[in-house]
Amino acid sequence: MSIAKSELTVIPVKQASSKRVRPKSKLWGYLWFHRYLYLMLAPAMLYYLIFHYIPMYGAIVAFKEFSITKGILGSDWAGLKYFQYLFAQDKFWQVLQNTIVISLYRLTFGFPAPIIVALLLNEVVFLRFKRAVQTVIYLPHFISWVILGGLMINLLSTDSGVVNNLIKAFGGTPVGFMSDESYFRSTMVFSMIWKEFGWNTIIYMAALAGINPQLYEAAVVDGASRWQRLIHVTLPSIRGTIVLLLILRLGSVMEAGFEQIFVLYHPGVYQVADIIDTYVYRIGLTEGRFSLAAAVGLFKSLINFSLLVIANRLARMMGEQGVY
């Protein structure tokens, strides 16, 4: 059966436009598509906005003759007066030195500790033993320094401490772990590592869990030993996580642990234990010199920010992703 050519109806097809139709607001469309993720992120963003960013306005107190009755805006300008006074004080350079030394101790001995523990736990085959060890080393993180400070005083006291009693039982001389300047820093750093290293292993354990098992299988086929697999597979796979946490740690070098030192130190060890945070606490809250305390805090924040930027820049130059 044939159909006449004249009977065919030609329906014109509208050609697609070469221009792409874009949504009116690409940004709002993206936010709406990921609205649940941003909704979960909102509480954290609100926290940092209220307690970290808005209080930055108070940094101008460092440049004013602050008076509680006049307020921040009503107080007279002082310029760089308090910074000049601060840098002329020998006490400030002493607390700055103590802060840097204690932070370097914590960085040198405290930063590798969770990495080593995570690598060791990753090699454990018995899951029950592995979980038991993880639980035990996590627990100190949830104990307040106030409680731990009391325990340490009872354990390390020269008169009735358990440790010094054992030393005397073996014929030794009691050691002033909490009172002798030569031992105080080491005792403080060791207690910090003991309290926090287990909690910090969580991040590295998560990074280790994300390593592709096929890399290990290929290494075994090539005849690599367990040590060689650790060096050539495990560590390179978590290198990005290590560098990222190292950058963040370098960005807080001027944070030497206020709560721990405030609980453990006393006037007898001020020479080696007094840091910027405790110094700010004394001159700011105890003595009421708010402008001077704000100047010290602003100086500390600028140093931390500079170290963070430099560390991130060096990491990116070495091929790592960095923080930003």
Side-chain angles (χ1 to χ4, degrees):
M1 182 177 180
S2 61
I3 302 175
K5 187 175 180 181
S6 58
E7 296 178 358
L8 295 177
T9 303
V10 179
I11 302 175
V13 180
K14 188 177 181 180
Q15 294 183 351
S17 176
S18 59
K19 293 185 179 180
R20 209 172 192 180
V21 179
R22 296 183 179 180
K24 295 181 179 180
S25 178
K26 188 175 181 180
L27 176 61
W28 285 109
Y30 176 83
L31 294 177
W32 177 255
F33 183 77
H34 298 284
R35 58 188 180 277
Y36 296 114
L37 296 178
Y38 284 102
L39 186 63
M40 291 188 292
L41 187 62
M45 297 178 64
L46 188 63
Y47 165 78
Y48 280 99
L49 177 65
I50 296 175
F51 296 102
H52 291 268
Y53 285 95
I54 294 179
M56 286 183 182
Y57 165 75
I60 63 174
V61 172
F63 305 96
K64 287 198 168 190
E65 295 282 358
F66 179 71
S67 173
I68 297 179
T69 57
K70 294 181 180 179
I72 297 178
L73 295 178
S75 300
D76 299 328
W77 283 99
L80 300 176
K81 169 185 174 181
Y82 289 102
F83 289 94
Q84 295 172 351
Y85 173 81
L86 184 66
F87 296 148
Q89 299 296 312
D90 294 334
K91 181 63 177 178
F92 170 74
W93 297 109
Q94 178 189 337
V95 299
L96 178 61
Q97 179 183 354
N98 291 339
T99 303
I100 295 175
V101 170
I102 293 174
S103 294
L104 291 178
Y105 278 1
R106 297 179 63 174
L107 181 64
T108 304
F109 300 102
F111 185 78
I115 302 175
I116 296 173
V117 174
L119 293 175
L120 293 175
L121 289 175
N122 190 54
E123 298 296 328
V124 175
V125 179
F126 301 102
L127 292 180
R128 289 186 179 180
F129 176 76
K130 181 178 180 179
R131 291 170 181 171
V133 172
Q134 288 177 323
T135 303
V136 171
I137 63 178
Y138 291 169
L139 287 178
H141 171 78
F142 299 99
I143 303 176
S144 171
W145 273 116
V146 177
I147 299 175
L148 287 180
L151 292 175
M152 291 180 62
I153 292 174
N154 291 330
L155 290 173
L156 303 177
S157 174
T158 55
D159 298 328
S160 59
V162 176
V163 176
N164 277 307
N165 285 338
L166 291 174
I167 294 176
K168 289 187 288 186
F170 285 98
T173 304
V175 179
F177 294 102
M178 305 295 295
S179 57
D180 193 339
E181 292 182 353
S182 58
Y183 291 99
F184 185 82
R185 281 177 179 169
S186 301
T187 303
M188 185 175 55
V189 172
F190 175 80
S191 62
M192 181 278 302
I193 296 174
W194 170 74
K195 183 178 186 297
E196 299 295 340
F197 83 95
W199 180 255
N200 293 331
T201 58
I202 296 177
I203 300 176
Y204 296 107
M205 291 295 293
L208 291 171
I211 300 177
N212 190 350
Q214 294 181 355
L215 297 176
Y216 292 108
E217 295 173 1
V220 171
V221 172
D222 291 338
S225 63
R226 177 168 291 186
W227 177 256
Q228 289 174 331
R229 296 198 298 269
L230 174 66
I231 298 298
H232 298 287
V233 177
T234 305
L235 287 178
S237 299
I238 64 172
R239 182 178 59 186
T241 303
I242 295 175
V243 172
L244 177 62
L245 294 179
L246 179 60
I247 293 173
L248 295 176
R249 184 65 188 88
L250 289 174
S252 59
V253 165
M254 304 302 288
E255 307 287 343
F258 168 75
E259 185 180 359
Q260 178 192 13
I261 296 178
F262 184 74
V263 170
L264 297 178
Y265 86 147
H266 51 83
V269 293
Y270 273 3
Q271 191 70 20
V272 296
D274 196 16
I275 61 173
I276 290 180
D277 291 334
T278 54
Y279 180 64
V280 169
Y281 170 80
R282 289 201 309 276
I283 65 176
L285 296 180
T286 306
E287 301 179 10
R289 303 163 72 180
F290 299 105
S291 296
L292 183 59
V296 178
L298 182 59
F299 171 80
K300 183 187 72 171
S301 299
L302 290 176
I303 296 297
N304 282 337
F305 176 75
S306 301
L307 290 175
L308 177 64
V309 173
I310 293 173
N312 186 78
R313 180 60 178 172
L314 292 176
R316 294 182 66 88
M317 289 174 63
M318 291 187 292
E320 299 297 332
Q321 185 175 2
V323 179
Y324 60 90

